[in-house]
Amino acid sequence: MRSNIVKKGLERAPHRSLFYAMGYDAAELEKPLIGIVNSFNEIVPGHVHLDRIAAAVKAGVYAAGGLPVEFNTIAVCDGIAMGHPGMKYSLPSRELIADSVESMVMAHAFDALVFIPNCDKIVPGMLMAAARLDLPSIFISGGPMLAGEFEGRAVDLSNVFEAVGAVKAGRLEAEALQRLEQCACPGCGSCAGMFTANSMNCLCEALGMALPGNGTIPAVAARRQQLARAAGRQVLELWRKDLRPSQIMTAGAFRNALAVDMAMGCSTNTILHLPAVAHELGINWELKEINAISETTPQLCLLSPAGPDRIADLDRAGGISTVMKELKRGGLIDDAQLSVTGRSMGDNLVAAPNPDGAVIRTLEHPFRPQGGLAILFGNLAPDGAVVKQGAVAPEMLHRRLRARVFENEEGAVEAVLAGEIVPGDVVVIRYEGPKGGPGMREMLSPTAAVAGMGLDKEVALITDGRFSGATRGASIGHVCPEAMEGGPIALVRDGDNIEIDIPQRRLELLITPEEFARRRENLVLPPLKAKGGYLLRYASQVTAAWSGAVLQAPHDRRSER
């Protein structure tokens, strides 16, 4: 046992005395030490109940012969952080989570790990830590929130954001917004649509790092507690077999995850997080590979914000296992990949129900013939940009639009809510990238304002920042290189024409090469916005969005694996 370095031998008597001080006894110290990595807190609705998930996990670990030891990580609520400077800390918190888990595990010599995340950056942060540490590990999320009900229809957090714009446009009464905000989020769990948190929890299943049901069983369901106990038991099997993340999260597993991502219409943020996790394992891919998978993988689900269904509906229809079973039928995933069940993906999928044809459609009758995400290239985004094409109105798939340029999110939101953005405009928000933001703020407020004012079929948004998984419409993010790196988005001026051609994967600034060169020659970059603290360190070390916005190191040995 790895933990014997802190438990065994004459020289470890002082260490044992510290264990005894916490109430552990000698018999317990003979068992493998299982770290329970919990992100419980009382400020994130997706995490407020994770103490109960952890209790169930520990019961499972005890039953299987292990000694569970719990410690915590931080967790940021993107919804509460949205639309103010706090959002600058959301993406950077992913790196803090990975580093803090590494520190705790290496300092205390755990034998295996159970990770309990739920919301946006916590899932990838913990996946990065699992990949980096490469100890037997399993993931068990807190589960999705149920949808709310408002005036006879299902609603979620994205509806509240969009309702703000609807009130400003006179399309909704302020009193109705007050009633909506009180019922849209009816209880604990990650927000009910196919937003970033649920996208990543579902992709944990596709990667093989979580048991079936991890991404879709509602937070309040008894089955969630049962799954947590099962995860606690299963981590001991992983430890006994020495089955590690590097054996599960292979290049083939990431391709599986991307195929599932496309079939479900997941958040654009997955294109930040999957490369970051893969980086920890020395696995890299070109963004063009994502387009190749998208072009051959039909979209089988149309979940909020793209459609009316929520994660609980997906769960009732068979969940990720049914999606993967249908993709397997078409030869679109590699079912030989291993999972934390100790079996292959193909073996896991045998008992999954077939698609219901409604929430999960068949390959022959998909919602869309291509996957939910697309990567765009062109003179405005030489290194790529991402759009959730599955949530774009047909009218906006190919348009030429007038640029309205803003140097930050706040200016864009003010203009939208003041009625200054009109049909035919494209809102360009720059200096919001990983370095420029810093922190690459997630911008649901401007996209929701556009949708709420009824402009989502007439107005597009483009940014070197990123958008929420709850975003719908022609919202193009992750434009690379970012403005702070001198990327072409820094050259755009008010009134320029921009061509968006999602089917052809193009994003073009329609100015002459001579004008392009002249603007570049005269470009003067502003100073970094961060003046100190963690954000300054982050801005000085972060890489481009296309590489996952990971932190660079003087010499990264992971590339030598």
Side-chain angles (χ1 to χ4, degrees):
M1 282 188 286
R2 181 174 180 272
S3 61
N4 282 347
I5 63 173
V6 297
K7 297 188 304 185
K8 291 290 186 180
L10 180 68
E11 296 83 359
R12 296 298 182 253
H15 303 64
R16 291 191 294 275
S17 70
L18 293 171
F19 276 97
Y20 298 148
M22 293 181 281
Y24 301 113
D25 60 34
E28 287 177 314
L29 296 188
E30 295 297 321
K31 299 177 179 181
L33 197 62
I34 309 300
I36 312 300
V37 189
N38 196 359
S39 51
F40 164 80
N41 63 36
E42 296 182 342
I43 191 64
V44 185
H47 293 242
V48 71
H49 65 302
L50 295 188
D51 54 342
R52 300 194 295 276
I53 298 293
V57 167
K58 287 189 278 189
V61 170
Y62 270 124
L67 176 61
V69 178
E70 182 180 353
F71 64 89
N72 283 80
T73 73
I74 62 170
V76 169
C77 177
D78 278 20
I80 295 175
M82 194 75 66
H84 62 88
M87 181 49 77
K88 294 177 184 287
Y89 287 86
S90 175
L91 182 60
S93 75
R94 186 188 70 181
E95 315 307 311
L96 292 175
I97 291 164
D99 289 349
S100 65
V101 174
E102 176 191 355
S103 300
M104 287 294 291
V105 172
M106 295 304 295
H108 301 105
F110 290 101
D111 293 298
L113 302 167
V114 181
F115 290 89
I116 310 176
N118 214 28
C119 290
D120 297 40
K121 309 310 167 297
I122 300 87
V123 186
M126 288 188 178
L127 281 170
M128 291 166 68
R132 187 184 302 175
L133 293 162
D134 205 25
L135 294 171
S137 300
I138 194 168
F139 277 65
I140 170 64
S141 79
M145 185 185 294
L146 296 175
E149 185 176 334
F150 178 70
E151 296 181 349
R153 61 187 176 95
V155 292
D156 55 42
L157 182 65
S158 66
N159 299 105
V160 186
F161 272 95
E162 292 186 8
V164 174
V167 171
K168 288 284 186 178
R171 301 171 65 231
L172 185 72
E173 295 294 328
E175 180 273 333
L177 174 58
Q178 291 177 347
R179 287 188 289 112
L180 173 61
E181 71 183 59
Q182 293 174 10
C183 64
C185 300
C188 64
S190 47
C191 297
M194 187 50 79
F195 312 148
T196 304
N198 290 325
S199 295
M200 290 304 302
N201 284 323
C202 289
L203 294 186
C204 281
E205 287 188 51
L207 281 170
M209 289 299 294
L211 297 174
N214 177 76
T216 60
I217 296 174
V220 296
R223 288 187 296 135
R224 177 60 55 180
Q225 297 291 318
Q226 294 162 2
L227 191 70
R229 285 194 294 276
R233 293 191 298 270
Q234 186 60 23
V235 75
L236 270 298
E237 286 300 308
L238 298 174
W239 172 74
R240 293 183 183 104
K241 295 176 179 178
D242 197 29
L243 184 54
R244 298 170 181 256
S246 61
Q247 298 166 273
I248 295 171
M249 290 194 288
T250 64
F254 282 98
R255 285 191 290 270
N256 281 352
L258 286 168
V260 172
D261 191 335
M262 299 304 162
M264 294 193 305
C266 289
S267 165
T268 53
N269 284 313
T270 61
I271 306 304
L272 275 178
H273 300 322
L274 289 177
V277 178
H279 172 76
E280 298 288 344
L281 295 157
I283 298 170
N284 298 294
W285 65 73
E286 298 279 339
L287 284 179
K288 291 179 180 178
E289 292 182 55
I290 297 173
N291 276 341
I293 292 173
S294 179
E295 288 165 5
T296 58
T297 307
Q299 187 170 345
L300 304 181
C301 303
L302 201 63
L303 301 158
S304 176
D309 296 320
R310 268 68 180 187
I311 304 300
D313 301 310
L314 178 62
D315 183 63
R316 284 189 290 270
I320 306 309
S321 292
T322 291
V323 173
M324 294 189 75
K325 183 177 182 179
E326 185 66 4
L327 293 176
K328 173 191 170 185
R329 186 172 70 86
L332 297 174
I333 62 166
D334 178 2
D335 65 346
Q337 294 294 316
L338 284 174
S339 80
V340 291
T341 64
R343 303 186 302 273
S344 73
M345 280 292 182
D347 290 339
N348 292 345
L349 302 177
V350 170
N354 293 322
D356 64 350
V359 178
I360 305 173
R361 290 194 178 180
T362 63
L363 295 172
E364 292 79 13
H365 302 284
F367 284 101
R368 291 186 171 90
Q370 294 187 345
L373 301 181
I375 309 298
L376 310 184
F377 296 93
N379 69 353
L380 189 53
D383 294 336
V386 63
V387 63
K388 194 174 194 177
Q389 66 175 352
V392 177
E395 300 93 320
M396 295 299 293
L397 290 173
H398 186 195
R399 290 288 297 270
R400 289 190 180 190
L401 302 164
R402 296 178 305 274
R404 292 292 311 278
V405 182
F406 300 90
E407 308 302 314
N408 54 50
E409 176 189 3
E410 289 82 357
V413 173
E414 289 175 9
V416 173
L417 294 180
E420 297 172 8
I421 303 302
V422 298
D425 284 346
V426 52
V427 177
V428 178
I429 308 172
R430 63 191 179 195
Y431 296 104
E432 288 285 7
K435 288 182 183 295
M440 203 178 185
R441 282 194 286 182
E442 183 174 279
M443 292 181 278
L444 179 56
S445 295
T447 61
V450 166
M453 298 185 79
L455 295 171
D456 54 301
K457 295 181 180 180
E458 296 288 346
V459 170
L461 297 97
I462 296 174
T463 184
D464 54 5
R466 60 195 179 90
F467 293 119
S468 167
T471 291
R472 62 185 176 93
S475 302
I476 300 166
H478 308 192
V479 171
C480 291
E482 63 172 293
M484 189 57 79
E485 295 280 10
I489 192 172
L491 308 179
V492 183
R493 295 182 179 176
D494 274 335
D496 285 345
N497 287 320
I498 293 175
E499 183 174 14
I500 300 167
D501 190 345
I502 295 173
Q504 297 301 316
R505 309 297 193 245
R506 292 175 52 247
L507 184 63
E508 300 284 345
L509 175 60
L510 301 179
I511 59 176
T512 66
E514 293 77 18
E515 176 65 11
F516 196 98
R518 188 183 68 79
R519 292 186 189 181
R520 179 170 292 288
E521 184 178 349
N522 294 326
L523 177 64
V524 177
L525 296 176
L528 286 174
K529 295 176 187 174
K531 304 304 179 185
Y534 176 51
L535 287 183
L536 180 59
R537 298 201 307 275
Y538 180 85
S540 66
Q541 297 178 31
V542 70
T543 61
W546 67 263
S547 64
V550 297
L551 299 185
Q552 59 189 348
H555 178 59
D556 196 335
R557 297 182 61 88
R558 286 167 289 194
S559 62
E560 299 175 357
R561 287 189 182 179

